[in-house]
Amino acid sequence: MFKLHLAALSIFSALASVRGHGYVQQITAGSAPQRIVRAIPGNGPITDLSLIDVQCNGYTDGGVLGSTPAPLFATVAAGTTLGLNWTTWPDSHVGPMITYMALAPKNITTWLPGTSAVWFKVAQSGKTAAGLWASTDLLTASNSIYSFTIPAKLKAGQYIIRHEIIALHSATTYPGAQVYPSCIQVQVTGSGTSVPPASAMVAFPGAYTATTPGIVFNVYTNTSAVYPIPGPAV
Ligand SMILES: *[C@@H]1O[C@H](CO)[C@@H](O)[C@H](O)[C@H]1NC(C)=O
Ligand SMILES: *[C@@H]1O[C@H](CO)[C@@H](O)[C@H](O)[C@H]1NC(C)=O
Ligand SMILES: *[C@@H]1O[C@H](CO)[C@@H](O)[C@H](O)[C@H]1NC(C)=O
Ligand SMILES: [Cu+2]
């Protein structure tokens, strides 16, 4: 598999002293050009879920940088499993890992989703019955590689993949949950014809609020096996 170092790396090298969290640093795909990830300003979180920052990151600049289109996209066949390589992630930052996609209505290298409800969930992982969190337990067990599959029936076209960790170590009240999103541009190929109905679509910002189940959650005292992953169904 081809392994790509993300353009974001060069941005982060100047930010080595930012208080540590993390971001997706690499993607594995069939044929992945560089500059497919919408650049983000650093490795910090978004906690005000009403801001555009929560869409594609951009916590220091009002979301401008995070949502700005990248010049290129990766070409991947529907049904492909992609691996996203996270930077070293603090053990304390437990929480779910969630992936959405949005079909670009025009050239993805110029498209800004804005506040439109265009995002549908394609994968989610929260807490297992054994009490293991997607982040950090499962992520660590897989050497920091998060994997998800582009739905095999998905209609061909250009999509933004929005992948995130929601860290819950400070989520006992709102604001507190820390969202770490990354947006990746892809061209999906194949003979699929499916796109989820409008009723399955959410907006960022909008999908998460202070009262969304799983946004306020006490990971220290709530030993329930069930953690309600925020957002719509897959
Ligand atoms: C993930 O990226 C790091 C940093 O570039 C690299 O050392 C590591 O080998 C990568 N993991 C995989 C599975 O490619
Ligand atoms: C999409 O936009 C980019 C950047 O403006 C341009 O280089 C490319 O040719 C466009 N692609 C199509 C299919 O219009
Ligand atoms: C644990 O979290 C679930 C889901 O948010 C909630 O319904 C339940 O009341 C919580 N339990 C405790 C003991 O706080
Ligand atoms: Cu952190």
Side-chain angles (χ1 to χ4, degrees), residues 213-214 216-218 221-224 226-228:
V216 172
F217 190 87
N218 189 328
T221 61
N222 195 328
T223 54
S224 162
V226 179
Y227 166 72

Side-chain angles (χ1 to χ4, degrees), residues 201-216:
M201 305 285 187
V202 295
F204 284 99
Y208 305 153
T209 69
T211 56
T212 300
I215 292 297
V216 172

Side-chain angles (χ1 to χ4, degrees), residues 60-225:
T60 58
D61 66 356
V64 175
L65 187 53
S67 290
T68 300
L72 299 176
F73 49 83
T75 299
V76 292
T80 299
T81 296
L82 293 182
L84 304 182
N85 185 350
W86 277 85
T87 54
T88 302
W89 191 248
D91 285 343
S92 63
H93 288 31
V94 296
M97 301 182 76
I98 308 174
T99 306
Y100 295 83
M101 292 178 75
L103 176 60
K106 62 175 190 177
N107 192 330
I108 198 165
T109 66
T110 59
W111 182 49
L112 290 171
T115 54
S116 302
V118 292
W119 303 95
F120 55 93
K121 194 184 267 183
V122 295
Q124 63 180 1
S125 176
K127 189 161 79 164
T128 69
L132 298 177
W133 286 98
S135 160
T136 303
D137 301 309
L138 303 185
L139 185 61
T140 301
S142 61
N143 296 315
S144 300
I145 306 295
Y146 165 86
S147 297
F148 79 101
T149 301
I150 308 275
K153 294 179 182 169
L154 194 62
K155 177 182 165 181
Q158 294 186 327
Y159 292 82
I160 300 175
I161 296 168
R162 179 187 176 281
H163 171 63
E164 69 187 344
I165 290 176
I166 304 177
L168 300 173
H169 54 291
S170 302
T172 53
T173 57
Y174 178 87
Q178 299 183 346
V179 180
Y180 295 84
S182 286
C183 288
I184 301 160
Q185 299 178 173
V186 294
Q187 168 108 44
V188 174
T189 60
S191 55
T193 55
S194 298
V195 180
S199 59
M201 305 285 187
V202 295
F204 284 99
Y208 305 153
T209 69
T211 56
T212 300
I215 292 297
V216 172
F217 190 87
N218 189 328
V219 295
Y220 306 104
T221 61
N222 195 328
T223 54
S224 162

Side-chain angles (χ1 to χ4, degrees), residues 3 5 25-26 85 145:
K3 291 184 186 121
H5 284 270
Q25 61 184 339
Q26 202 179 54
N85 185 350
I145 306 295

